Amino acid sequence: MNKTSTSMQHPDHSDGKELLPLSPRAFDSSLDPLGRLLPSGERPKRTGADYRALWKTAIHQQILLLRMEKENQRLEASRDELHIRKMKLNYQEVGQCSKDAQALWERKLTAPGRTTVPQDKEEIYRALCQGVPKSRRGEVWLLLSHQHRLRHRLPQRQQAPDTTYHDLLKQLTAQQHAILVDLGRTFPTHQYFSAQLGAGQLSLYNLLKAYSLLDTEVGYCQGISFVAGVLLLHMSEEQAFDMLKYLMYDLGIRQQYRPDMVSLQIQMYQLSRLLHDYHRELYNHFEEHEISPSLYAAPWFLTLFASQFPLNFVSRIFDFVFVQGTGVIFKVALCLLSSHEGEIVECDSFESIVDYLKTTLPALTLTQMEQTIAKVMEMDITKQLHAYEVEYHVLQDEMLDAGPLPDDSDRLDKLEKTNVQLKKQNMDLLEKLQAARQKIQTLETSVENFLSRESKMKHMIRSLEQERAAYQKTIERMRSCLPPDALTDVEMTQIKTGPNGKAKNAAKKP
């Protein structure tokens, strides 16, 4: 712009069709602002200021176009975000959240200092019992975590490392294969996670990878993917990562995922003792068929019920887990087992009981979900759980102090090996039993199809016989109405055109 172009140095030889330097198109006299002010036939001589003005106008228009394009992209991204959010929260609420409860949560979520000033704990719990709007559930969980951290500060050695989420994503994890294998198994029927390597699975992979690098002791364990998936459905990746750290470290859930799984064994013992003390008939029924809590309740604790139960029920459970921790899992498990105690006791075999607990029991209706949550809100088993945990440690110490006798060590090893073999045989037999049941079901379906076809054929035969009888009656009535001469002609026609060329009515000749 500082140097004069060739056309500027020689204006007499300039051509209106000549392209300007870096100009997107040739000069158009209709766009010349000076041409409108002069009489026709007179052509203005352009100066450097004129060309600079034209270039400024072109640059301003280009900037405006870029801004409009960015705004269109932002609007499209906003529409996509709304669509994804609607897809994530595609479930029916358990218990309708009243307008008063919604207004209360709105005030708490917009209150100044909500992340730095402790709020009334009892008021928050009452609001939680009244319901949580699913559109604000992620924000409510963030608020509950901030309030818990304000009241309960973990010792430095128990806190999670300070590595940021983005720094963890830049690293490589040794758990990559296990994470990738479980991506397709996590909420396989949910639209957000069902697409292979779609947005949901990629976000889930990032979250699980980051946590496996953050918590090297736990790494990745089956069950964490469902917990992470529920968090991702209600918030962004970074927020979900912070909430996963809160659940694992602040609430201590990571103890049940440690390699020794001692915490999970304690939980199974506590659940068994709860059944023994409060539902003795159900406990005796389980003992009679050798069904331990680890057969059916381990997935409940490892996935916080997310692997088997409906998402709306699981989200409501998470509301209380963020306040009360793992104690809620015991209360929900106890309520579910007690409400289905009659049906479970009627099952008279190992296979039927396990099948009922894994398939029938999780298929809850909305009314059953609401009743279960209502019982959970009224139940308090904190003292019992603490007593059972102490009892478990005392029993373990007594067993360690006693120890096996030296002469019985070989016998104990043999028994353990035999037990392992029997368990393997039991699993093989269960697989064969399932295959046989599937085959029987297929055969029963085939038999039902054959019976249905036979019934249809019988019905068709009856219809044809009725139709034939009706035709015969019609023929008889028509014969009775015909005069004798016409009847003779009809019979002669039947003789000539009878089936297979045979005269059936020859005997009726006059």
Side-chain angles (χ1 to χ4, degrees):
M1 296 300 294
N2 294 332
K3 294 183 179 181
T4 307
S5 64
T6 307
S7 60
M8 293 179 185
Q9 294 174 358
H10 305 282
D12 297 336
H13 303 284
S14 62
D15 187 1
K17 296 182 180 179
E18 181 182 346
L19 292 176
L20 296 175
L22 304 177
S23 178
R25 61 179 183 174
F27 173 74
D28 189 356
S29 60
S30 63
L31 300 177
D32 188 357
L34 299 177
R36 299 175 187 156
L37 303 177
L38 296 174
S40 59
E42 296 185 15
R43 195 161 189 156
K45 294 182 180 179
R46 297 175 193 82
T47 63
D50 297 335
Y51 286 110
R52 281 194 293 271
L54 289 172
W55 273 106
K56 283 183 179 179
T57 303
I59 291 171
H60 290 160
Q61 291 177 354
Q62 188 66 25
I63 291 173
L64 182 61
L65 288 174
L66 291 174
R67 287 179 179 174
M68 292 175 64
E69 186 176 354
K70 287 183 179 179
E71 185 67 13
N72 288 334
Q73 292 176 355
R74 189 184 66 80
L75 290 174
E76 289 179 4
S78 178
R79 285 196 295 268
D80 293 340
E81 184 179 353
L82 289 174
H83 174 69
I84 292 174
R85 183 171 178 80
K86 185 178 180 181
M87 184 195 307
K88 287 181 176 181
L89 301 179
N90 186 21
Y91 61 83
Q92 186 179 2
E93 279 280 14
V94 177
Q96 293 297 326
C97 185
S98 63
K99 293 183 179 180
D100 294 338
Q102 294 181 14
L104 178 60
W105 283 119
E106 188 67 29
R107 290 195 302 271
K108 289 189 173 298
L109 293 173
T110 56
R114 59 188 177 276
T115 60
T116 56
V117 179
Q119 299 184 15
D120 187 3
K121 188 176 180 180
E122 295 297 327
E123 185 182 5
I124 290 178
Y125 185 74
R126 286 196 299 271
L128 202 66
C129 294
Q130 293 176 13
V132 177
K134 67 178 181 180
S135 59
R136 308 298 295 274
R137 178 161 271 136
E139 299 174 61
V140 171
W141 290 353
L142 289 169
L143 174 65
L144 296 176
S145 66
H146 291 315
Q147 291 296 313
H148 183 275
R149 284 169 173 167
L150 289 174
R151 295 187 181 89
H152 307 89
R153 178 66 62 179
L154 285 176
Q156 185 65 33
R157 59 185 181 84
Q158 296 181 10
Q159 293 182 7
D162 292 331
T163 313
T164 63
Y165 181 64
H166 292 289
D167 291 338
L168 292 169
L169 291 180
K170 297 175 184 177
Q171 304 176 31
L172 297 176
T173 176
Q175 310 289 334
Q176 176 174 324
H177 178 71
I179 295 173
L180 289 173
V181 168
D182 284 344
L183 287 181
R185 303 173 182 172
T186 306
F187 296 113
T189 59
H190 196 281
Q191 190 177 2
Y192 184 62
F193 294 105
S194 59
Q196 187 174 6
L197 297 181
Q201 289 194 5
L202 289 176
S203 297
L204 183 60
Y205 172 78
N206 290 336
L207 186 56
L208 297 175
K209 170 190 172 182
Y211 185 79
S212 68
L213 292 167
L214 181 81
D215 189 357
T216 55
E217 182 184 10
V218 171
Y220 172 73
C221 178
Q222 284 185 337
I224 300 179
S225 60
F226 283 93
V227 178
V230 174
L231 296 176
L232 280 174
L233 291 176
H234 295 87
M235 57 188 68
S236 64
E237 276 188 39
E238 291 188 56
Q239 292 174 337
F241 180 69
D242 186 51
M243 290 301 94
L244 187 59
K245 288 197 300 183
Y246 167 77
L247 291 173
M248 293 294 189
Y249 284 89
D250 295 85
L251 298 184
I253 295 180
R254 67 181 294 271
Q255 301 297 327
Q256 67 185 19
Y257 298 107
R258 294 174 63 181
D260 54 8
M261 288 197 169
V262 173
S263 178
L264 185 63
Q265 295 176 14
I266 296 174
Q267 291 169 340
M268 296 298 100
Y269 177 80
Q270 290 170 314
L271 181 60
S272 178
R273 291 288 285 111
L274 285 170
L275 290 174
H276 177 272
D277 291 350
Y278 295 98
H279 301 281
R280 182 63 64 87
E281 183 179 359
L282 185 59
Y283 173 83
N284 292 335
H285 189 65
F286 283 152
E287 288 294 312
E288 180 183 353
H289 293 86
E290 299 180 352
I291 296 176
S292 63
S294 58
L295 282 174
Y296 59 89
W300 299 354
F301 284 81
L302 291 175
T303 67
L304 306 187
F305 297 93
S307 62
Q308 297 178 354
F309 289 79
L311 182 59
N312 52 352
F313 183 65
V314 174
S315 300
R316 196 72 178 109
I317 294 173
F318 268 59
D319 294 341
F320 293 93
V321 169
F322 273 84
V323 175
Q324 298 179 342
T326 55
V328 177
I329 308 175
F330 290 96
K331 294 195 286 187
V332 174
L334 203 61
C335 291
L336 290 172
L337 292 172
S338 63
S339 60
H340 293 80
E341 181 175 355
E343 292 83 354
I344 296 173
V345 172
E346 288 179 359
C347 299
D348 55 356
S349 65
F350 175 90
E351 294 81 7
S352 59
I353 296 174
V354 173
D355 183 68
Y356 184 90
L357 292 173
K358 290 188 176 182
T359 58
T360 307
L361 188 145
L364 300 173
T365 63
L366 195 62
T367 304
Q368 290 175 326
M369 297 179 195
E370 294 174 355
Q371 293 174 352
T372 303
I373 296 299
K375 291 180 182 178
V376 168
M377 290 188 290
E378 298 173 356
M379 190 181 298
D380 186 12
I381 54 174
T382 307
K383 294 181 180 179
Q384 292 89 326
L385 292 176
H386 181 69
Y388 297 150
E389 184 177 359
V390 174
E391 183 180 296
Y392 177 87
H393 288 297
V394 170
L395 291 174
Q396 291 295 315
D397 292 338
E398 290 178 357
M399 292 175 63
L400 290 174
D401 293 337
L405 296 175
D407 296 337
D408 293 341
S409 59
D410 295 338
R411 181 171 173 270
L412 185 61
D413 292 338
K414 291 180 180 179
L415 289 175
E416 289 180 351
K417 291 180 180 178
T418 305
N419 189 23
V420 171
Q421 293 177 356
L422 290 174
K423 284 184 178 179
K424 186 177 180 181
Q425 292 177 2
N426 190 17
M427 294 301 296
D428 294 339
L429 290 173
L430 281 176
E431 291 179 358
K432 292 180 180 179
L433 180 62
Q434 290 178 355
R437 284 182 173 178
Q438 291 178 355
K439 189 174 181 180
I440 291 172
Q441 188 175 3
T442 304
L443 293 173
E444 288 177 349
T445 305
S446 301
V447 170
E448 290 179 357
N449 292 335
F450 285 131
L451 291 175
S452 176
R453 290 173 60 185
E454 183 183 4
S455 176
K456 290 180 180 178
M457 293 294 291
K458 288 181 178 179
H459 180 72
M460 188 182 297
I461 290 171
R462 284 196 297 270
S463 300
L464 292 173
E465 288 178 348
Q466 293 174 358
E467 188 177 355
R468 178 173 173 271
Y471 285 149
Q472 287 179 348
K473 289 181 180 179
T474 302
I475 292 172
E476 293 296 331
R477 286 198 301 271
M478 292 176 66
R479 282 182 174 178
S480 61
C481 295
L482 290 174
D485 297 338
L487 184 61
T488 303
D489 295 339
V490 170
E491 289 177 351
M492 292 298 296
T493 304
Q494 287 181 351
I495 293 173
K496 294 179 180 178
T497 61
N500 300 324
K502 295 181 179 179
K504 290 186 176 181
N505 299 324
K508 294 184 179 181
K509 289 183 178 180

